[in-house]
Amino acid sequence: MQQKIIILDFGSQTTQLIGRRIREMDTFCEILPYNKYPEDDSDVIGVILSGSPYSVHDTEAFNVDLSRFVGRLPVLGICYGAQYISHTLGGKVEKANSREYGRANLQEFDGNCPLFKGFDVNSQVWMSHGDTITKIPEGFHRVASTEDVEFAAYSNYSQCSTSGVQPIFAVQFHPEVFHSVQGSLLLKNFVIDICGSRKEWSAASFVETTVEELKKQLGNDRVILGLSGGVDSSVCAVLLNKAIGKNLTCIFVDHGMLRKDEFRKVMNSYSTLGLNVIGVDASEKFFRDLAGVEEPEQKRKIIGRDFVEVFNAEAKKITDARWLAQGTIYPDRIESLNITGKVIKSHHNVGGLPKEMHLKLCEPLQWLFKDEVRRVGSQLGMPENLIKRHPFPGPGLAVRILGEITPEKVRVLQEADDIFIEGLHKWKAEDGLPLYDHVWQAGAVLLSTVRSVGVMGDERTYENPVALRAVTSMDAMTADWAHLPYEFLAKVSNEIINKVKGVNRICYDISSKPPATIEWE
């Protein structure tokens, strides 16, 4: 039985980072809504309570029945989780005199506490809370403080060491974020030393167990998979092909908004992998249905609807198909609907199946983060040009064109985008690797609702600007703008303006996520 850590999500923006840190320790973890603790937890070795946008005193605050796991399993409360434990078990949480946000340093921490094994004096941590714990429950003791926070960490581990009861640890800071310098060490101490993880989660073990599970799940049934040309669906296809071979049929729909020559290049790549792929050019239908539409979410929905219609028409030709496979990954599932029930944006491969398809759903990558998908692809022997491809949105360039979508606007953006991406491949960073390898995701955005004045030769122009976007990230849940060399940006800017008719100005997007998103629409 595979061990796992359960992370109960109370709505924090950084809950997914906790999961990432734990997966990096070769330990499987599952992020669940705060009220969905599993009935059968025989494979669970520890529980983490996340932060939250709420105060424990808010009427809409999320509550969980601690008795289901407290004492039976090691527990770590983070920020709201720490305050909730104190509030529920008899401690006291009050409004802080001022919001405690930003860097702080741990003082007077208990060096005997297993959670802080190996910690340095004055270790920097990141605080982000409006309430603070002013009294801890009976049987607990202070483990660490900062200049402004008396109970930066507390625990009952010393009470539990000889009783056989599993301990509770609680911290009011966020160990999962980069600014908590030894945060990964804290999580490692909890997951490996306290919970006893055997570190069995790896790309190799995932491939082995998933292939066997797919064989049992699918048997001799025929499976249809929608390919997008991206990493997720490609890895999903190769994984399924390893499990069921000729019983897999892939369909690659060209909606007309792919990158320059993308359809041809991707079809060539798939043929070298031995996949059975049907290519469908449906661009005319997509452009027709998008005519006059400017609202971003409506564009996404039209593209999603048309994709299903085209895909369904092609799938019906495979009369003995029983399953639809999708390359859905964990961040897709998490970001489409967060714990508060608010849609951030629609993902084209999240949300179930159209009833008329009469197929069962197969999502073998649904628990993986993007970098884990890449490791699985490498384990499967896939070529680097597919594994290292940057993420690309399902609606394609449609979400990188502000305003109405037309074939001419797509052509302009394809040319500009191609110059940018090829430039990232060719320009070497200081370590000798291409800039492309240092960037999580990159692309050009056509600001077709904006026109700017320019001068070319002796003539004035009135054309569209293009914004370049390049970000660094671990899993797209948060992202920072990539600090590309000025010389590179100058070269790319000149090349786009000189070669792409209709563009006379280049901007570089230096927004982080949050508050911005990676895509413009």
Side-chain angles (χ1 to χ4, degrees), residues 351-408:
L353 290 168
K355 292 180 181 179
E356 67 271 16
M357 292 193 79
H358 305 295
L359 298 174
K360 292 179 282 187
L361 189 60
C362 176
E363 298 176 298
L365 306 181
Q366 63 178 314
W367 298 111
L368 300 187
F369 289 91
K370 179 73 74 174
D371 59 325
E372 293 174 319
V373 175
R374 289 195 169 104
R375 289 204 294 271
V376 167
S378 180
Q379 182 68 31
L380 290 166
M382 294 175 63
E384 282 198 353
N385 68 307
L386 275 179
I387 297 171
K388 289 187 175 182
R389 285 171 64 88
H390 289 172
F392 189 65
L397 299 179
V399 294
R400 295 179 181 175
I401 296 174
L402 304 192
E404 182 184 8
I405 308 299
T406 67
E408 175 58 19

Short mmCIF file of all heavy atoms in Angstrom, two decimals, residues 351-408:
data_model
loop_
_atom_site.label_atom_id
_atom_site.label_comp_id
_atom_site.label_asym_id
_atom_site.label_seq_id
_atom_site.Cartn_x
_atom_site.Cartn_y
_atom_site.Cartn_z
N GLY A 351 -14.04 19.08 -16.21
CA GLY A 351 -15.47 19.32 -16.12
C GLY A 351 -16.33 18.17 -16.58
O GLY A 351 -17.54 18.30 -16.70
N GLY A 352 -15.72 17.02 -16.86
CA GLY A 352 -16.53 15.86 -17.20
C GLY A 352 -16.72 15.69 -18.69
O GLY A 352 -16.09 16.35 -19.50
N LEU A 353 -17.66 14.81 -19.04
CA LEU A 353 -17.88 14.42 -20.43
C LEU A 353 -19.26 14.84 -20.91
O LEU A 353 -20.22 14.81 -20.14
CB LEU A 353 -17.76 12.90 -20.56
CG LEU A 353 -16.37 12.31 -20.39
CD1 LEU A 353 -16.47 10.80 -20.25
CD2 LEU A 353 -15.52 12.65 -21.57
N PRO A 354 -19.38 15.18 -22.21
CA PRO A 354 -20.72 15.39 -22.75
C PRO A 354 -21.51 14.09 -22.67
O PRO A 354 -20.99 13.02 -22.96
CB PRO A 354 -20.44 15.78 -24.22
CG PRO A 354 -19.00 16.21 -24.24
CD PRO A 354 -18.32 15.42 -23.19
N LYS A 355 -22.79 14.19 -22.27
CA LYS A 355 -23.59 12.98 -22.08
C LYS A 355 -23.70 12.16 -23.35
O LYS A 355 -23.78 10.93 -23.31
CB LYS A 355 -24.97 13.37 -21.57
CG LYS A 355 -24.96 13.95 -20.17
CD LYS A 355 -26.37 14.33 -19.72
CE LYS A 355 -26.35 14.93 -18.31
NZ LYS A 355 -27.70 15.33 -17.87
N GLU A 356 -23.71 12.86 -24.51
CA GLU A 356 -23.94 12.12 -25.75
C GLU A 356 -22.77 11.23 -26.16
O GLU A 356 -22.88 10.42 -27.06
CB GLU A 356 -24.27 13.10 -26.90
CG GLU A 356 -23.13 14.03 -27.32
CD GLU A 356 -23.10 15.33 -26.54
OE1 GLU A 356 -23.76 15.39 -25.48
OE2 GLU A 356 -22.44 16.28 -26.98
N MET A 357 -21.63 11.39 -25.50
CA MET A 357 -20.47 10.59 -25.89
C MET A 357 -20.55 9.16 -25.36
O MET A 357 -19.96 8.25 -25.91
CB MET A 357 -19.17 11.25 -25.41
CG MET A 357 -18.86 12.55 -26.13
SD MET A 357 -17.16 13.13 -25.85
CE MET A 357 -16.25 12.10 -26.97
N HIS A 358 -21.27 8.97 -24.25
CA HIS A 358 -21.46 7.62 -23.68
C HIS A 358 -20.13 6.91 -23.46
O HIS A 358 -19.99 5.72 -23.72
CB HIS A 358 -22.37 6.77 -24.59
CG HIS A 358 -23.69 7.42 -24.86
ND1 HIS A 358 -24.63 7.66 -23.87
CD2 HIS A 358 -24.23 7.91 -26.02
CE1 HIS A 358 -25.69 8.25 -24.41
NE2 HIS A 358 -25.47 8.42 -25.69
N LEU A 359 -19.14 7.65 -22.99
CA LEU A 359 -17.82 7.07 -22.73
C LEU A 359 -17.46 7.25 -21.25
O LEU A 359 -17.90 8.20 -20.61
CB LEU A 359 -16.75 7.74 -23.60
CG LEU A 359 -16.89 7.59 -25.12
CD1 LEU A 359 -15.82 8.43 -25.82
CD2 LEU A 359 -16.76 6.13 -25.53
N LYS A 360 -16.65 6.36 -20.76
CA LYS A 360 -16.11 6.50 -19.41
C LYS A 360 -14.80 7.28 -19.48
O LYS A 360 -14.10 7.25 -20.49
CB LYS A 360 -15.89 5.11 -18.79
CG LYS A 360 -17.18 4.36 -18.51
CD LYS A 360 -16.94 2.99 -17.93
CE LYS A 360 -16.51 1.99 -18.99
NZ LYS A 360 -16.43 0.61 -18.45
N LEU A 361 -14.48 7.97 -18.39
CA LEU A 361 -13.33 8.88 -18.39
C LEU A 361 -12.09 8.22 -17.77
O LEU A 361 -12.18 7.58 -16.72
CB LEU A 361 -13.68 10.15 -17.61
CG LEU A 361 -12.67 11.31 -17.66
CD1 LEU A 361 -12.46 11.79 -19.08
CD2 LEU A 361 -13.17 12.46 -16.79
N CYS A 362 -10.96 8.40 -18.42
CA CYS A 362 -9.68 7.89 -17.93
C CYS A 362 -8.69 9.04 -17.87
O CYS A 362 -8.40 9.67 -18.89
CB CYS A 362 -9.17 6.78 -18.87
SG CYS A 362 -7.54 6.13 -18.44
N GLU A 363 -8.16 9.35 -16.67
CA GLU A 363 -7.24 10.47 -16.48
C GLU A 363 -6.01 9.99 -15.70
O GLU A 363 -5.88 10.25 -14.50
CB GLU A 363 -7.93 11.61 -15.73
CG GLU A 363 -9.11 12.20 -16.48
CD GLU A 363 -9.84 13.26 -15.66
OE1 GLU A 363 -10.37 12.92 -14.59
OE2 GLU A 363 -9.86 14.42 -16.09
N PRO A 364 -5.08 9.33 -16.33
CA PRO A 364 -3.96 8.73 -15.61
C PRO A 364 -2.97 9.71 -15.01
O PRO A 364 -2.17 9.34 -14.15
CB PRO A 364 -3.27 7.85 -16.67
CG PRO A 364 -3.69 8.42 -17.98
CD PRO A 364 -5.07 8.97 -17.77
N LEU A 365 -3.02 10.99 -15.41
CA LEU A 365 -2.06 11.99 -14.89
C LEU A 365 -2.71 12.94 -13.89
O LEU A 365 -2.10 13.94 -13.50
CB LEU A 365 -1.46 12.81 -16.04
CG LEU A 365 -0.81 12.05 -17.19
CD1 LEU A 365 -0.26 13.02 -18.22
CD2 LEU A 365 0.28 11.12 -16.69
N GLN A 366 -3.91 12.64 -13.44
CA GLN A 366 -4.69 13.62 -12.69
C GLN A 366 -4.09 14.01 -11.34
O GLN A 366 -4.50 15.00 -10.75
CB GLN A 366 -6.11 13.09 -12.47
CG GLN A 366 -6.19 11.82 -11.65
CD GLN A 366 -7.62 11.38 -11.43
OE1 GLN A 366 -8.48 12.20 -11.08
NE2 GLN A 366 -7.90 10.10 -11.64
N TRP A 367 -3.13 13.25 -10.82
CA TRP A 367 -2.52 13.58 -9.53
C TRP A 367 -1.14 14.21 -9.68
O TRP A 367 -0.48 14.50 -8.68
CB TRP A 367 -2.42 12.34 -8.65
CG TRP A 367 -3.74 11.74 -8.34
CD1 TRP A 367 -4.23 10.56 -8.79
CD2 TRP A 367 -4.78 12.32 -7.54
NE1 TRP A 367 -5.50 10.36 -8.32
CE2 TRP A 367 -5.86 11.42 -7.54
CE3 TRP A 367 -4.89 13.50 -6.81
CZ2 TRP A 367 -7.04 11.67 -6.85
CZ3 TRP A 367 -6.07 13.74 -6.13
CH2 TRP A 367 -7.12 12.84 -6.14
N LEU A 368 -0.69 14.44 -10.93
CA LEU A 368 0.68 14.92 -11.14
C LEU A 368 0.75 16.42 -11.36
O LEU A 368 -0.13 17.02 -11.97
CB LEU A 368 1.30 14.23 -12.36
CG LEU A 368 1.41 12.70 -12.34
CD1 LEU A 368 2.20 12.23 -13.55
CD2 LEU A 368 2.07 12.20 -11.06
N PHE A 369 1.83 17.03 -10.87
CA PHE A 369 2.18 18.39 -11.22
C PHE A 369 3.00 18.36 -12.51
O PHE A 369 3.51 17.32 -12.93
CB PHE A 369 2.98 19.04 -10.10
CG PHE A 369 2.17 19.35 -8.87
CD1 PHE A 369 2.06 18.41 -7.84
CD2 PHE A 369 1.52 20.56 -8.73
CE1 PHE A 369 1.31 18.69 -6.71
CE2 PHE A 369 0.77 20.84 -7.60
CZ PHE A 369 0.66 19.91 -6.58
N LYS A 370 3.15 19.54 -13.15
CA LYS A 370 3.76 19.59 -14.48
C LYS A 370 5.17 19.01 -14.52
O LYS A 370 5.51 18.25 -15.43
CB LYS A 370 3.78 21.04 -14.98
CG LYS A 370 4.42 21.22 -16.35
CD LYS A 370 3.53 20.70 -17.47
CE LYS A 370 2.37 21.64 -17.71
NZ LYS A 370 1.57 21.22 -18.89
N ASP A 371 6.01 19.35 -13.54
CA ASP A 371 7.37 18.84 -13.59
C ASP A 371 7.41 17.34 -13.37
O ASP A 371 8.29 16.64 -13.87
CB ASP A 371 8.27 19.57 -12.58
CG ASP A 371 7.78 19.44 -11.16
OD1 ASP A 371 6.56 19.42 -10.95
OD2 ASP A 371 8.62 19.35 -10.25
N GLU A 372 6.42 16.80 -12.64
CA GLU A 372 6.33 15.35 -12.48
C GLU A 372 5.93 14.68 -13.79
O GLU A 372 6.41 13.60 -14.12
CB GLU A 372 5.31 15.02 -11.38
CG GLU A 372 5.76 15.45 -10.00
CD GLU A 372 4.69 15.24 -8.95
OE1 GLU A 372 3.51 15.50 -9.23
OE2 GLU A 372 5.03 14.80 -7.85
N VAL A 373 5.04 15.34 -14.56
CA VAL A 373 4.65 14.82 -15.87
C VAL A 373 5.89 14.73 -16.76
O VAL A 373 6.08 13.74 -17.48
CB VAL A 373 3.58 15.72 -16.52
CG1 VAL A 373 3.27 15.25 -17.94
CG2 VAL A 373 2.30 15.72 -15.69
N ARG A 374 6.73 15.75 -16.70
CA ARG A 374 7.95 15.74 -17.51
C ARG A 374 8.88 14.59 -17.10
O ARG A 374 9.50 13.94 -17.95
CB ARG A 374 8.67 17.08 -17.40
CG ARG A 374 7.94 18.21 -18.11
CD ARG A 374 8.85 19.43 -18.28
NE ARG A 374 8.25 20.40 -19.18
CZ ARG A 374 7.66 21.53 -18.81
NH1 ARG A 374 7.60 21.84 -17.52
NH2 ARG A 374 7.14 22.35 -19.68
N ARG A 375 8.98 14.34 -15.80
CA ARG A 375 9.84 13.24 -15.34
C ARG A 375 9.29 11.89 -15.80
O ARG A 375 10.05 11.00 -16.15
CB ARG A 375 9.98 13.28 -13.82
CG ARG A 375 10.82 14.44 -13.31
CD ARG A 375 11.41 14.16 -11.94
NE ARG A 375 10.40 14.05 -10.91
CZ ARG A 375 9.94 15.07 -10.19
NH1 ARG A 375 10.40 16.29 -10.43
NH2 ARG A 375 9.03 14.89 -9.25
N VAL A 376 7.96 11.77 -15.80
CA VAL A 376 7.34 10.54 -16.29
C VAL A 376 7.62 10.38 -17.79
O VAL A 376 7.93 9.28 -18.26
CB VAL A 376 5.82 10.55 -16.02
CG1 VAL A 376 5.11 9.45 -16.79
CG2 VAL A 376 5.56 10.42 -14.53
N GLY A 377 7.52 11.48 -18.54
CA GLY A 377 7.82 11.42 -19.97
C GLY A 377 9.25 10.98 -20.23
O GLY A 377 9.52 10.18 -21.13
N SER A 378 10.18 11.50 -19.44
CA SER A 378 11.58 11.09 -19.56
C SER A 378 11.74 9.62 -19.23
O SER A 378 12.47 8.89 -19.91
CB SER A 378 12.44 11.96 -18.63
OG SER A 378 13.80 11.61 -18.73
N GLN A 379 11.05 9.16 -18.19
CA GLN A 379 11.09 7.75 -17.81
C GLN A 379 10.56 6.85 -18.93
O GLN A 379 11.03 5.72 -19.13
CB GLN A 379 10.25 7.53 -16.54
CG GLN A 379 10.25 6.12 -15.99
CD GLN A 379 11.61 5.71 -15.42
OE1 GLN A 379 12.36 6.56 -14.92
NE2 GLN A 379 11.93 4.43 -15.53
N LEU A 380 9.60 7.38 -19.71
CA LEU A 380 9.03 6.62 -20.82
C LEU A 380 9.88 6.70 -22.08
O LEU A 380 9.53 6.10 -23.10
CB LEU A 380 7.62 7.15 -21.12
CG LEU A 380 6.54 6.84 -20.08
CD1 LEU A 380 5.30 7.70 -20.31
CD2 LEU A 380 6.18 5.36 -20.11
N GLY A 381 10.98 7.45 -22.03
CA GLY A 381 11.88 7.54 -23.17
C GLY A 381 11.44 8.50 -24.25
O GLY A 381 11.89 8.40 -25.40
N MET A 382 10.59 9.48 -23.91
CA MET A 382 10.12 10.45 -24.90
C MET A 382 11.21 11.45 -25.25
O MET A 382 12.06 11.77 -24.41
CB MET A 382 8.88 11.17 -24.37
CG MET A 382 7.68 10.26 -24.21
SD MET A 382 6.27 11.11 -23.44
CE MET A 382 5.92 12.38 -24.66
N PRO A 383 11.21 11.98 -26.48
CA PRO A 383 12.25 12.94 -26.89
C PRO A 383 12.13 14.26 -26.13
O PRO A 383 11.03 14.68 -25.74
CB PRO A 383 11.98 13.13 -28.38
CG PRO A 383 10.55 12.76 -28.57
CD PRO A 383 10.27 11.69 -27.57
N GLU A 384 13.26 14.93 -25.92
CA GLU A 384 13.29 16.17 -25.15
C GLU A 384 12.44 17.27 -25.77
O GLU A 384 11.89 18.11 -25.05
CB GLU A 384 14.73 16.65 -24.98
CG GLU A 384 15.52 15.90 -23.92
CD GLU A 384 16.76 16.64 -23.49
OE1 GLU A 384 17.07 17.68 -24.12
OE2 GLU A 384 17.40 16.22 -22.52
N ASN A 385 12.37 17.30 -27.10
CA ASN A 385 11.61 18.39 -27.74
C ASN A 385 10.13 18.34 -27.37
O ASN A 385 9.44 19.36 -27.42
CB ASN A 385 11.78 18.35 -29.26
CG ASN A 385 11.12 17.13 -29.89
OD1 ASN A 385 11.38 16.00 -29.49
ND2 ASN A 385 10.28 17.35 -30.88
N LEU A 386 9.62 17.17 -26.98
CA LEU A 386 8.24 17.09 -26.50
C LEU A 386 8.17 17.32 -25.00
O LEU A 386 7.29 18.01 -24.49
CB LEU A 386 7.64 15.72 -26.84
CG LEU A 386 7.03 15.55 -28.23
CD1 LEU A 386 6.51 14.14 -28.41
CD2 LEU A 386 5.91 16.55 -28.47
N ILE A 387 9.11 16.71 -24.25
CA ILE A 387 9.07 16.80 -22.79
C ILE A 387 9.30 18.22 -22.30
O ILE A 387 8.69 18.67 -21.33
CB ILE A 387 10.13 15.86 -22.17
CG1 ILE A 387 9.81 14.41 -22.50
CG2 ILE A 387 10.19 16.04 -20.66
CD1 ILE A 387 10.91 13.45 -22.10
N LYS A 388 10.20 18.95 -22.97
CA LYS A 388 10.57 20.29 -22.50
C LYS A 388 9.70 21.40 -23.08
O LYS A 388 9.95 22.59 -22.81
CB LYS A 388 12.04 20.57 -22.83
CG LYS A 388 13.02 19.76 -21.99
CD LYS A 388 14.45 20.21 -22.24
CE LYS A 388 15.43 19.50 -21.31
NZ LYS A 388 16.82 19.97 -21.52
N ARG A 389 8.71 21.04 -23.87
CA ARG A 389 7.84 22.07 -24.45
C ARG A 389 7.17 22.88 -23.34
O ARG A 389 6.70 22.33 -22.34
CB ARG A 389 6.75 21.42 -25.31
CG ARG A 389 7.25 20.94 -26.65
CD ARG A 389 6.18 20.12 -27.34
NE ARG A 389 5.00 20.92 -27.65
CZ ARG A 389 4.85 21.62 -28.76
NH1 ARG A 389 5.80 21.62 -29.67
NH2 ARG A 389 3.76 22.30 -28.97
N HIS A 390 7.12 24.17 -23.54
CA HIS A 390 6.41 25.03 -22.59
C HIS A 390 4.92 24.70 -22.62
O HIS A 390 4.39 24.27 -23.64
CB HIS A 390 6.58 26.51 -22.97
CG HIS A 390 7.95 27.04 -22.73
ND1 HIS A 390 8.33 28.30 -23.15
CD2 HIS A 390 9.04 26.51 -22.12
CE1 HIS A 390 9.60 28.52 -22.79
NE2 HIS A 390 10.05 27.44 -22.17
N PRO A 391 4.23 24.91 -21.50
CA PRO A 391 2.77 24.78 -21.51
C PRO A 391 2.17 25.71 -22.55
O PRO A 391 2.68 26.81 -22.80
CB PRO A 391 2.36 25.20 -20.10
CG PRO A 391 3.59 24.99 -19.27
CD PRO A 391 4.75 25.28 -20.16
N PHE A 392 1.09 25.26 -23.17
CA PHE A 392 0.39 26.06 -24.18
C PHE A 392 -1.10 25.92 -23.91
O PHE A 392 -1.59 24.81 -23.72
CB PHE A 392 0.74 25.56 -25.58
CG PHE A 392 0.24 26.45 -26.70
CD1 PHE A 392 0.73 27.74 -26.84
CD2 PHE A 392 -0.72 26.00 -27.59
CE1 PHE A 392 0.28 28.56 -27.86
CE2 PHE A 392 -1.17 26.81 -28.62
CZ PHE A 392 -0.67 28.10 -28.76
N PRO A 393 -1.84 27.03 -23.86
CA PRO A 393 -3.27 26.96 -23.49
C PRO A 393 -4.09 26.16 -24.50
O PRO A 393 -3.82 26.21 -25.71
CB PRO A 393 -3.70 28.43 -23.45
CG PRO A 393 -2.72 29.14 -24.33
CD PRO A 393 -1.42 28.41 -24.17
N GLY A 394 -5.07 25.43 -24.00
CA GLY A 394 -5.94 24.65 -24.88
C GLY A 394 -6.60 25.50 -25.96
O GLY A 394 -6.64 25.09 -27.13
N PRO A 395 -7.11 26.70 -25.64
CA PRO A 395 -7.69 27.55 -26.68
C PRO A 395 -6.65 28.16 -27.61
O PRO A 395 -6.99 28.92 -28.52
CB PRO A 395 -8.41 28.64 -25.89
CG PRO A 395 -8.57 28.08 -24.52
CD PRO A 395 -7.38 27.23 -24.29
N GLY A 396 -5.37 27.89 -27.35
CA GLY A 396 -4.31 28.37 -28.23
C GLY A 396 -4.15 29.87 -28.22
O GLY A 396 -4.34 30.54 -27.20
N LEU A 397 -3.84 30.42 -29.39
CA LEU A 397 -3.58 31.85 -29.49
C LEU A 397 -4.83 32.69 -29.30
O LEU A 397 -4.75 33.92 -29.21
CB LEU A 397 -2.94 32.16 -30.85
CG LEU A 397 -1.60 31.46 -31.12
CD1 LEU A 397 -1.08 31.83 -32.50
CD2 LEU A 397 -0.57 31.82 -30.04
N ALA A 398 -5.98 32.05 -29.21
CA ALA A 398 -7.22 32.80 -28.99
C ALA A 398 -7.19 33.58 -27.69
O ALA A 398 -7.79 34.66 -27.59
CB ALA A 398 -8.41 31.86 -28.99
N VAL A 399 -6.49 33.05 -26.67
CA VAL A 399 -6.41 33.76 -25.39
C VAL A 399 -5.19 34.67 -25.34
O VAL A 399 -4.88 35.23 -24.30
CB VAL A 399 -6.40 32.77 -24.20
CG1 VAL A 399 -7.72 32.03 -24.13
CG2 VAL A 399 -5.24 31.79 -24.28
N ARG A 400 -4.52 34.80 -26.48
CA ARG A 400 -3.40 35.73 -26.58
C ARG A 400 -3.68 36.81 -27.63
O ARG A 400 -2.77 37.51 -28.07
CB ARG A 400 -2.10 34.98 -26.91
CG ARG A 400 -1.68 34.04 -25.79
CD ARG A 400 -0.43 33.26 -26.11
NE ARG A 400 -0.08 32.37 -25.00
CZ ARG A 400 0.92 31.50 -25.02
NH1 ARG A 400 1.69 31.42 -26.10
NH2 ARG A 400 1.14 30.73 -23.98
N ILE A 401 -4.92 36.90 -28.05
CA ILE A 401 -5.37 37.96 -28.95
C ILE A 401 -6.49 38.70 -28.23
O ILE A 401 -7.55 38.14 -27.97
CB ILE A 401 -5.88 37.40 -30.29
CG1 ILE A 401 -4.74 36.71 -31.06
CG2 ILE A 401 -6.48 38.52 -31.14
CD1 ILE A 401 -5.19 36.01 -32.33
N LEU A 402 -6.27 39.95 -27.90
CA LEU A 402 -7.30 40.74 -27.24
C LEU A 402 -8.35 41.14 -28.28
O LEU A 402 -8.01 41.64 -29.35
CB LEU A 402 -6.72 41.98 -26.58
CG LEU A 402 -5.59 41.77 -25.56
CD1 LEU A 402 -5.33 43.05 -24.79
CD2 LEU A 402 -5.90 40.63 -24.61
N GLY A 403 -9.61 40.90 -27.93
CA GLY A 403 -10.67 41.25 -28.87
C GLY A 403 -11.05 40.10 -29.78
O GLY A 403 -10.80 38.92 -29.49
N GLU A 404 -11.67 40.44 -30.90
CA GLU A 404 -12.18 39.44 -31.85
C GLU A 404 -11.04 38.64 -32.49
O GLU A 404 -9.96 39.16 -32.75
CB GLU A 404 -13.01 40.13 -32.94
CG GLU A 404 -13.62 39.17 -33.95
CD GLU A 404 -14.34 39.89 -35.08
OE1 GLU A 404 -14.23 41.14 -35.15
OE2 GLU A 404 -15.00 39.21 -35.89
N ILE A 405 -11.32 37.36 -32.76
CA ILE A 405 -10.35 36.48 -33.40
C ILE A 405 -10.61 36.44 -34.90
O ILE A 405 -11.75 36.18 -35.32
CB ILE A 405 -10.44 35.04 -32.84
CG1 ILE A 405 -10.36 35.04 -31.32
CG2 ILE A 405 -9.35 34.17 -33.45
CD1 ILE A 405 -9.09 35.59 -30.76
N THR A 406 -9.59 36.70 -35.71
CA THR A 406 -9.70 36.56 -37.16
C THR A 406 -8.47 35.81 -37.67
O THR A 406 -7.42 35.82 -37.02
CB THR A 406 -9.76 37.93 -37.86
OG1 THR A 406 -8.50 38.60 -37.70
CG2 THR A 406 -10.89 38.79 -37.30
N PRO A 407 -8.58 35.16 -38.84
CA PRO A 407 -7.41 34.47 -39.41
C PRO A 407 -6.21 35.40 -39.59
O PRO A 407 -5.07 34.98 -39.37
CB PRO A 407 -7.93 33.95 -40.75
CG PRO A 407 -9.40 33.79 -40.56
CD PRO A 407 -9.79 34.93 -39.65
N GLU A 408 -6.44 36.64 -39.96
CA GLU A 408 -5.32 37.57 -40.17
C GLU A 408 -4.62 37.90 -38.86
O GLU A 408 -3.39 37.96 -38.80
CB GLU A 408 -5.83 38.86 -40.84
CG GLU A 408 -4.77 39.94 -41.01
CD GLU A 408 -3.56 39.51 -41.83
OE1 GLU A 408 -3.64 38.52 -42.58
OE2 GLU A 408 -2.50 40.17 -41.71
#
